[in-house]
Amino acid sequence: MSEREIEKPLWEQWADQRAMATGERLQKVLALRGWGSRRVCEDMIAEGRVTVNGEVAVLGRRVDAEVDTVEVDGVQIGLRPDLVYYLLNKPVGVITTASDPQGRPTVTELVPDEPRVFSVGRLDADTEGLLLLTNDGELANRIAHPSHGVEKEYLAYVNGNVPGKVLHRMREGIELEDGITAPAKASQLSPGLLRITIHEGRNRQVRRMCEAVGFPVQRLVRVRIGPLRDSSLAPGEWRELTLDEVRQVVESVAGMPRSYDRRP
Ligand code: URA
């Protein structure tokens, strides 16, 4: 028995032994939840990317998916049936905060009441499009954290044809009152229809960028959050993310130092 095992209280040692003896093999559990073939999952375990209850897992580890906390690259994922992930197409006029003194409808009224979820980032009341809602606080923190630079893509409708030099300014960064914006991706799909991709989360950023270059936004639609797109959702409709989408989101924010996760 290792020194670490000896430090553990007896009941924990017993619980570990029980899980190891009775649970499913970790690579099988991960594969069943969409992390790739068993071979790929074995490689992830061998690379030390998978922890069980906070400890790096070794090949051959068995887990009880109902009880054990399994993390890949530091993010708990897919094994807890209580975690939900919804992709909503937010309509205009619905607000992203949990309640509104003016009594406007909120995004949480559009999805199931239980379990309680919150939105990852926000969209203005007058902005439409994709919004992620979840009760997975850790994943939400990672997506919202600017160091990950998760891309958000918008379609911005403006009046008139936007000259190339204006798009170029957006790509370079625009001086706003709260500082210069990070370089955006900006292109014109047809006269007056811009595709703008940013990875910061500043208040009304796309609107302020367009306003600053003389083309105020008439309509703004978010069409992508990192790997998530769905043009088939009607305004007000939502669906659960597929396991593959959850995995893609996790992968897009993987690699943050664990000290961040555990910050009080
Ligand atoms: N930029 C905006 O201006 N509004 C949003 O809702 C999101 C990004």
Side-chain angles (χ1 to χ4, degrees):
M1 196 180 288
S2 70
E3 258 177 53
R4 175 143 180 81
E5 287 289 298
I6 292 165
E7 280 165 18
K8 280 189 175 179
L10 265 180
W11 68 267
E12 269 193 36
Q13 291 179 33
W14 178 79
D16 282 355
Q17 280 165 16
R18 189 170 148 272
M20 279 181 211
T22 60
E24 295 268 31
R25 280 191 188 280
L26 185 53
Q27 62 267 34
K28 179 176 171 194
V29 172
L30 290 170
L32 283 173
R33 283 164 175 78
W35 285 85
S37 67
R38 284 194 199 182
R39 183 64 221 277
V40 166
C41 295
E42 279 174 12
D43 286 348
M44 288 186 346
I45 298 167
E47 286 161 14
R49 294 172 58 193
V50 184
T51 60
V52 178
N53 303 328
E55 288 182 9
V56 175
V58 290
L59 266 177
R61 179 76 158 91
R62 287 175 183 269
V63 291
D64 179 342
E66 294 294 314
V67 177
D68 290 314
T69 303
V70 178
E71 295 176 328
V72 177
D73 294 328
V75 177
Q76 186 175 328
I77 189 72
L79 300 185
R80 280 179 42 190
D82 56 320
L83 294 180
V84 294
Y85 307 87
Y86 304 138
L87 189 63
L88 169 74
N89 183 358
K90 185 188 97 58
V92 169
V94 175
I95 61 158
T96 309
T97 46
S99 68
D100 181 39
Q102 296 171 41
R104 288 173 295 182
T106 65
V107 289
T108 47
E109 291 166 24
L110 295 173
V111 294
D113 289 341
E114 295 291 336
R116 285 174 73 89
V117 291
F118 46 87
S119 70
V120 179
R122 55 185 296 281
L123 288 177
D124 305 328
D126 42 357
T127 300
E128 308 155 56
L130 297 182
L131 189 68
L132 182 61
L133 295 119
T134 182
N135 57 353
D136 182 343
E138 184 158 323
L139 189 62
N141 278 340
R142 284 171 176 254
I143 296 170
H145 199 276
S147 70
H148 283 298
V150 172
E151 286 190 339
K152 289 121 197 159
E153 185 179 317
Y154 297 85
L155 294 180
Y157 295 77
V158 300
N159 285 330
N161 189 37
V162 179
K165 63 177 190 296
V166 168
L167 297 172
H168 183 74
R169 278 181 64 196
M170 289 192 178
R171 292 186 205 119
E172 298 275 287
I174 303 269
E175 188 69 53
L176 298 178
E177 62 199 19
D178 51 354
I180 191 156
T181 59
K185 291 181 191 160
S187 58
Q188 185 162 218
L189 303 178
S190 59
L193 174 57
L194 306 183
R195 176 164 47 210
I196 300 176
T197 306
I198 59 172
H199 54 81
E200 300 170 289
R202 298 204 222 166
N203 194 26
R204 297 180 77 81
Q205 181 169 339
V206 175
R207 289 175 193 278
R208 289 191 293 139
M209 285 168 63
C210 291
E211 180 118 34
V213 295
F215 287 88
V217 168
Q218 307 300 314
R219 180 180 173 209
L220 187 60
V221 187
R222 180 152 75 187
V223 293
R224 181 169 68 85
I225 305 168
L228 305 175
R229 274 186 193 280
D230 192 332
S231 56
S232 70
L233 284 177
E237 261 184 10
W238 62 274
R239 65 167 175 82
E240 288 205 48
L241 294 192
T242 63
L243 277 171
D244 198 45
E245 285 174 323
V246 177
R247 186 172 57 73
Q248 286 176 40
V249 172
V250 169
E251 280 180 356
S252 73
V253 295
M256 182 178 281
R258 292 193 60 83
S259 56
Y260 169 76
D261 304 338
R262 304 295 173 226
R263 200 182 295 164

